[in-house]
Amino acid sequence: MSPKIELLAPGGDIDAIKAAIIAGADAVYCGLDTFNARNRAANISFDELVGIIRLAHEYECQIFLTLNIIILEREFKTLAKLLSKLANTTLDGVIVQDLGMLYILNKHFPTLDIHASTQLTTHNIGQIPFLKKLGASRVNLSRELDLKEISAITAVSQKEEVLTEVFVHGSLCVAFSGLCYSTSASVGNSGNRGRCSQACREEYKPTESGNKFPLNIKDNSAFFDLPALIEAGVHSFKVEGRIKGASYVHTVIDSFRKQIDGFVETGELLEDGERLYKVFNRDFSNAFLRGDLNQSMFIENPRDNSKYHAIDKSNAISVVQIQDVEQSLNDEKEQIHADVFDKIKHLSIDKRKLSLVFSGEVGEPLAVTIKINEAHDQKITQGFSEETVQEQVHVMHSQRALVASDKNCIDHSAIEKRFKSFNNAEYNLTELSTDDIPASATIPFKELTALKNKIAALLNDGKSVLAEVELPKLVRHAKKETGAKLSLLICDENDINLGDVTDADIYFKLPDAYKRGCTKYVSFFQENPRLIPWFPSVLIGKDYDVAVNILEQVKPKLIVTNNTGIANRAFELGIEWIAGPFLNTTNSYALLAMKESFNCSGAFISNEINRQQMKTIARPENFKMLYSVYHPILLMTSRQCFFQQSVGCEKPRIDNGCMLSCDKSTSITNLKGVSFAIDKQKAGYPSIYNKDQFLNTEIIQDLTQLFDGFMIDLTNIGAGDKESPDKTVLIKQFEQLLNNDSNKENSESVGYSNTLSSEQTEAQSIAKETLNSLVPDSTNVQYHNGL
């Protein structure tokens, strides 16, 4: 049994953080009011963060900061300033989603400990070395994994000296984290930017199976699975809930603290978990962890279930009985709230008071007396705390002595100019006295600077203050060839003959799931060397093993992968690889991270960002930039079954046979009348798609100079019952657009512009009209809205 079992608590605001600390959390994760994936939480300011770190460390609790969103190019200057400030605190770690942020942290901020967010969708053993190489010291695993899968990944993590973290309580997303675009596609409210709209909690028109909340699943709780997770080698038990208040956080953390400590001491689980039902919950399920995905994971109530649990437990039937139960529960909740706030009311995050008194005589060094006063909470065994004031006094001297002088005398303004910066997030500079410095004395100003640096190190726990990092200016490399090439994505073996009508690159999409030991695709790619393997986003357990075997046996010249585990293995094998669109690349530093660390040769730029956001991205040298111009708009992908709550399913639970053989499709409609297609391909995960296809012909005119290639998705996945357009016609129309735009780009590159002939202009216009008629239900709103 590992003695290092971390209980990691959520902290959405100051009170919740204090509640977590006093309840016994080993660490708390919280967010600032920027770069944070919970913008609906109250969050905290930088000054408050500094106070929180100091308070937490008094209680031997660590603080991790969430910077867990994808980053836009224009934000890196601001981000570098923030990271420079964080590097001069005693922050214990930063939680990160964006590969570009991983890159600059690893390269420019080595003192900040990096944790990989659950938004990175880490679910196979190949992703651990990938993230380690980018600097991650710990990884938060996907919530969809079962115990066996967690054990396998953790075993690899331990060899790589990377810690693993698992969510043990709180809300569950029905979608794979990091792969949900539910409202990004329509209004730019991306979960990858902290603006999750919770479409999965919405009410829909009643489905065939009679459900109004067909995507709403119960909360996660591994309260009784802690021994198995400890046995699996998991380091950190993480509780979700940065939107929850102090009462919730204290109740949950205190319950888990007692459960963990009791088990470590006795080998038995002593807590019954009943207190967890006293605060917000949607009922609980451990089905993902147990690998038992069934209909009982869903619940029709997306709001607080606590009163319904209390009514059921008390067997209340009559109106009076139900009212009595509800009143009793409300009284309990009010008492919990009062007790928690009584416990945390003495906890202070106020700035420490700082006094600097300068003194000296001619012929003697300049002295400064530093006094630090801070409120300190004495922990009392009776369960409350009292505040005392502690004072630290330090005296420092300059190396050289003061000398008499009538010029450049050291006066108050000279001292204030150099030392007023100590009035900052950490300290409230209450006194800056120069009364005891002679009127006609001086000292070299570099002595003042040296003295200031010594004081800064003292106030920074003995560490030298790190200079602000300015990121080097990126070089914008031109693409190698003019024009942009067309590429196709297919998944049907019958579509291989499309290669007869085009010289476009042809990607073949591999399945998400396979029979164990499947070798079918090894011979398939060997027999069709023109096809470029396209690896999906999610490859768990045996499915990852099969995908790696395909890679190792075929050894293709080039692949596209949406999975970082496959990217890492391709790099190890020396196989050229391109980052697929679901790696959601939004900035130049992400491109550099993949190129410099893994020899990536190109990347699809995210469809979540707009035209202007794309234009600012700097291409690395000898690197291709690609973009998907036609595809179904994926809203979410899940390991859970969407058909149980929509059309119903006779199978009581999902098994491997469901993944391999089920190919149902249906739709659900929200209360605004908007329908969404649910599509399940054989050997694919259940997914939900937007009603409109993505079709962006504008970008071909606007940004051909930026992109090396444009892709069209001809897989028909997500089309539902809509008739698919003729693929050969689609190819010809896109080629017409690209050819004309290539002619324009070639002309501009040699000093001419607007050189398309009237025939070419007419042909381009006809191609656009034809495409719009072939795909009547289409949108490119993401290209305009962005993030």
Side-chain angles (χ1 to χ4, degrees):
M1 183 186 304
S2 170
K4 298 178 180 178
I5 304 165
E6 178 185 275
L7 178 57
L8 178 53
D13 58 27
I14 295 170
D15 287 337
I17 295 168
K18 290 178 178 179
I21 292 170
I22 209 73
D26 297 301
V28 178
Y29 63 102
C30 56
L32 297 174
D33 47 15
T34 185
F35 300 121
N36 167 22
R38 283 291 183 274
N39 72 340
R40 291 191 297 126
N43 297 312
I44 57 177
S45 69
F46 183 83
D47 285 8
E48 290 167 338
L49 173 67
V50 172
I52 284 163
I53 294 170
R54 185 176 64 251
L55 173 67
H57 287 178
E58 288 177 14
Y59 284 80
E60 298 181 353
C61 176
Q62 294 185 306
I63 296 293
F64 306 143
L65 185 69
T66 56
L67 299 172
N68 53 341
I69 59 170
I70 54 175
I71 309 297
L72 301 174
E73 193 77 17
R74 59 179 168 79
E75 295 175 321
F76 274 91
K77 186 175 181 179
T78 302
L79 178 63
K81 288 182 180 293
L82 172 60
L83 294 176
S84 293
K85 291 168 66 176
L86 293 173
N88 284 306
T89 70
T90 53
L91 181 69
D92 299 290
V94 289
I95 303 171
V96 179
Q97 173 187 6
D98 188 88
L99 296 185
M101 192 189 293
L102 279 164
Y103 176 83
I104 66 166
L105 279 165
N106 198 27
K107 197 172 184 72
H108 300 289
F109 301 92
T111 61
L112 290 174
D113 195 39
I114 305 170
H115 302 177
S117 167
T118 191
Q119 290 289 108
L120 279 160
T121 328
T122 307
H123 52 266
N124 65 50
I125 59 174
Q127 294 171 295
I128 300 300
F130 180 93
L131 291 170
K132 181 185 179 180
K133 192 163 187 179
L134 291 176
S137 69
R138 73 159 72 188
V139 176
N140 183 215
L141 302 182
S142 290
R143 282 174 260 201
E144 296 77 17
L145 300 178
D146 63 35
L147 279 165
K148 184 177 179 181
E149 292 156 354
I150 290 169
S151 297
I153 296 172
T154 298
V156 170
S157 298
Q158 289 173 341
K159 291 179 183 177
E160 295 281 349
E161 298 183 333
V162 173
L163 300 175
T164 54
E165 192 177 271
V166 170
F167 275 105
V168 294
H169 192 84
S171 296
L172 276 175
C173 299
V174 72
F176 284 103
S177 296
L179 296 176
C180 181
Y181 310 93
S182 57
T183 51
S184 168
S186 55
V187 291
N189 286 345
S190 173
N192 290 308
R193 289 283 290 176
R195 296 192 290 269
C196 174
S197 61
Q198 293 194 314
C200 54
R201 307 293 182 197
E202 286 184 10
E203 183 176 356
Y204 291 78
K205 292 183 178 179
T207 63
E208 289 182 40
S209 55
N211 298 104
K212 295 181 179 179
F213 297 91
L215 307 179
N216 185 58
I217 58 177
K218 295 178 180 177
D219 288 349
N220 169 42
S221 188
F223 197 67
F224 301 107
D225 299 288
L226 300 182
L229 287 169
I230 293 170
E231 181 68 25
V234 173
H235 170 75
S236 181
F237 295 169
K238 187 171 188 176
V239 173
E240 186 277 340
R242 280 197 289 135
I243 300 176
K244 309 295 199 312
S247 300
Y248 173 93
V249 171
H250 187 279
T251 301
V252 174
I253 295 304
D254 186 59
S255 298
F256 270 85
R257 180 80 277 158
K258 289 180 169 60
Q259 187 76 303
I260 292 169
D261 292 350
F263 178 75
V264 169
E265 184 176 346
T266 68
E268 297 180 7
L269 295 176
L270 305 178
E271 298 288 309
D272 62 8
E274 193 59 30
R275 282 199 299 156
L276 300 174
Y277 286 96
K278 303 294 184 184
V279 291
F280 183 95
N281 69 87
R282 298 184 184 89
D283 204 356
F284 298 117
S285 173
N286 66 349
F288 276 136
L289 197 61
R290 289 296 173 181
D292 184 17
L293 308 188
N294 57 66
Q295 197 163 347
S296 70
M297 288 183 70
F298 291 90
I299 185 170
E300 275 292 277
N301 174 30
R303 287 167 283 277
D304 190 5
N305 182 66
S306 56
K307 76 173 183 179
Y308 301 109
H309 175 82
I311 291 168
D312 290 343
K313 189 173 178 60
S314 64
N315 295 315
I317 299 174
S318 69
V319 172
V320 173
Q321 288 173 327
I322 291 172
Q323 288 176 341
D324 287 345
V325 170
E326 290 180 353
Q327 184 60 51
S328 177
L329 178 63
N330 287 336
D331 292 344
E332 281 187 82
K333 288 188 173 187
E334 288 180 8
Q335 189 60 51
I336 290 170
H337 182 84
D339 290 346
V340 169
F341 278 85
D342 187 56
K343 290 177 181 178
I344 68 174
K345 66 184 179 182
H346 297 294
L347 300 181
S348 173
I349 63 167
D350 292 342
K351 294 180 183 182
R352 289 183 276 190
K353 294 179 181 178
L354 177 65
S355 167
L356 300 178
V357 177
F358 291 83
S359 61
E361 298 290 340
V362 172
E364 298 291 336
L366 177 66
V368 58
T369 301
I370 305 136
K371 293 182 181 179
I372 306 168
N373 290 283
E374 62 180 317
H376 184 75
D377 300 289
Q378 296 281 335
K379 286 179 273 187
I380 305 299
T381 54
Q382 284 82 359
F384 61 91
S385 61
E386 62 181 15
E387 185 176 88
T388 62
V389 176
Q390 291 188 340
E391 181 177 78
Q392 301 176 37
V393 180
H394 306 270
V395 179
M396 290 183 176
H397 298 87
S398 62
Q399 285 191 330
R400 298 178 64 173
L402 289 163
V403 296
S405 174
D406 294 329
K407 299 179 180 180
N408 298 323
C409 296
I410 298 298
D411 59 10
H412 184 80
S413 63
I415 295 290
E416 183 182 42
K417 179 180 178 181
R418 287 162 178 80
F419 291 87
K420 66 182 179 180
S421 60
F422 287 119
N423 191 59
N424 53 30
E426 179 79 30
Y427 296 96
N428 184 9
L429 184 57
T430 57
E431 182 181 19
L432 182 62
S433 173
T434 57
D435 295 344
D436 294 330
I437 299 176
S440 299
T442 190
I443 195 172
F445 286 143
K446 67 179 182 180
E447 286 288 318
L448 292 180
T449 301
L451 198 55
K452 177 184 176 182
N453 291 340
K454 286 167 66 177
I455 296 172
L458 170 71
L459 299 179
N460 197 37
D461 291 337
K463 298 188 301 181
S464 297
V465 175
L466 301 173
E468 181 177 316
V469 172
E470 288 192 22
L471 298 178
K473 186 175 181 180
L474 294 170
V475 179
R476 303 179 69 88
H477 294 276
K479 63 183 185 181
K480 279 190 170 183
E481 299 177 4
T482 57
K485 188 174 182 181
L486 184 69
S487 58
L488 323 176
L489 176 63
I490 64 172
C491 67
D492 187 339
E493 294 177 29
N494 294 323
D495 285 337
I496 294 174
N497 59 11
L498 291 174
D500 297 338
V501 300
T502 180
D503 62 354
D505 287 338
I506 302 178
Y507 308 125
F508 188 90
K509 184 182 182 300
L510 284 158
D512 302 323
Y514 308 85
K515 291 181 179 178
R516 192 173 298 279
C518 170
T519 58
K520 167 187 173 182
Y521 292 98
V522 172
S523 57
F524 172 72
F525 283 112
Q526 288 172 340
E527 293 165 5
N528 297 279
R530 181 180 173 183
L531 299 182
I532 300 168
W534 173 290
F535 290 86
S537 300
V538 180
L539 290 164
I540 300 175
K542 69 171 180 58
D543 299 323
Y544 173 73
D545 295 338
V546 173
V548 167
N549 184 60
I550 294 169
L551 197 64
E552 293 173 341
Q553 297 301 311
V554 177
K555 291 185 179 175
K557 292 182 179 179
L558 173 68
I559 68 166
V560 177
T561 179
N562 296 278
N563 186 279
T564 54
I566 294 295
N568 182 69
R569 188 65 187 124
F571 167 66
E572 292 173 341
L573 293 169
I575 295 171
E576 184 181 354
W577 68 280
I578 290 171
F582 293 110
L583 287 182
N584 214 16
T585 305
T586 59
N587 60 72
S588 308
Y589 293 99
L591 303 182
L592 287 172
M594 294 185 288
K595 177 178 171 56
E596 292 183 9
S597 296
F598 301 97
N599 201 29
C600 179
S601 65
F604 280 83
I605 302 303
S606 170
N607 282 97
E608 285 202 279
I609 61 177
N610 65 26
R611 176 181 181 271
Q612 192 58 40
Q613 291 162 347
M614 291 177 205
K615 286 179 69 175
T616 58
I617 295 175
R619 176 199 310 276
E621 189 174 10
N622 298 323
F623 195 88
K624 291 184 178 180
M625 290 172 59
L626 310 164
Y627 184 81
S628 176
V629 292
Y630 170 67
H631 56 261
I633 300 174
L634 177 68
L635 300 181
M636 63 179 73
T637 297
S638 180
R639 202 173 190 184
Q640 179 52 275
C641 177
F642 289 135
F643 299 107
Q644 292 175 336
Q645 299 290 99
S646 55
V647 294
C649 182
E650 295 178 0
K651 298 191 74 168
R653 56 185 43 83
I654 298 171
D655 56 27
N656 193 49
C658 297
M659 276 294 289
L660 294 173
S661 62
C662 177
D663 59 353
K664 292 180 180 177
S665 64
T666 186
S667 63
I668 54 174
T669 304
N670 65 20
L671 297 185
K672 296 178 182 177
V674 180
S675 294
F676 304 94
I678 298 177
D679 196 300
K680 166 71 177 70
Q681 300 288 307
K682 288 183 178 180
Y685 284 102
S687 299
I688 298 180
Y689 293 87
N690 200 43
K691 66 182 181 65
D692 297 325
Q693 300 281 90
F694 184 81
L695 175 62
N696 185 5
T697 57
E698 288 180 51
I699 194 172
I700 295 174
Q701 289 179 290
D702 296 343
L703 298 177
T704 299
Q705 74 280 7
L706 182 66
F707 289 100
D708 298 87
F710 295 108
M711 187 194 79
I712 59 175
D713 184 336
L714 303 180
T715 61
N716 295 337
I717 296 173
D721 57 2
K722 294 179 182 176
E723 185 177 347
S724 298
D726 186 287
K727 296 176 182 179
T728 300
V729 176
L730 274 176
I731 293 168
K732 290 301 182 185
Q733 299 308 312
F734 275 108
E735 286 182 333
Q736 182 70 53
L737 279 179
L738 285 174
N739 288 337
N740 286 333
D741 219 76
S742 295
N743 291 334
K744 179 181 178 183
E745 186 183 0
N746 288 333
S747 299
E748 290 175 344
S749 69
V750 294
Y752 298 96
S753 60
N754 299 319
T755 56
L756 287 184
S757 67
S758 59
E759 291 82 1
Q760 289 173 321
T761 302
E762 185 179 359
Q764 198 171 53
S765 177
I766 292 172
K768 283 184 184 179
E769 291 177 8
T770 304
L771 287 168
N772 288 330
S773 65
L774 288 169
V775 191
D777 298 322
S778 67
T779 180
N780 67 350
V781 67
Q782 286 173 293
Y783 181 63
H784 296 281
N785 287 348
L787 295 177

